Amino acid sequence: MAIGPDQLDDAAHAFLAERHLASLTTTFPDGRLHVVPVAYSWVPEEATIRIITRVGSRKVANAERGAEGALSFVDGGRWMSLHGPTAVRREPERVTDTSARYTDRYGHAPRGDFERVSLEIEVDVIRGRWG
């Protein structure tokens, strides 16, 4: 069953708030799938997934081309997949906020010494079993 972000129930919001790692799927220019593990934050008031990442990564290049994104995670029999258009945000305040959300969620600052961006999925479809 597919639903929109405005249809999430309390159990779905609780599942999204749990600490998970996920797989992000975008597409290469030739249409093949690019799947990578990511840490993420759910921003419910924006219905957006945010991923702090580095400039020049393949996922950033795919998003800059306008690739759709899907973020999926599983915990036992519970799972969720969130889909939507991707965007790359470079505004310093947005990148700082995304980094802070990562730190709050995962208990440490993002690692690595490189220029960061906020890769975002504007979620329009959600599938899964979380109850």
Side-chain angles (χ1 to χ4, degrees), residues 46-119:
E46 298 175 357
T48 300
I49 291 291
R50 291 197 201 170
I51 299 162
I52 195 72
T53 190
R54 66 178 176 81
V55 169
S57 70
R58 170 46 56 191
K59 59 187 162 287
V60 168
N62 290 344
E64 287 177 327
R65 271 191 10 271
E68 290 279 312
L71 181 107
S72 300
F73 56 95
V74 62
D75 180 31
R78 301 180 307 156
W79 64 276
M80 189 175 283
S81 184
L82 302 102
H83 305 253
T86 61
V88 178
R89 303 284 300 268
R90 289 181 158 72
E91 305 90 334
E93 62 279 355
R94 189 68 164 207
V95 173
T96 297
D97 185 67
T98 301
S99 291
R101 289 173 187 274
Y102 174 100
T103 300
D104 289 346
R105 183 175 178 85
Y106 294 98
H108 60 85
R111 295 188 174 105
D113 184 22
F114 42 78
E115 185 180 355
R116 291 188 170 86
V117 293
S118 180
L119 188 151

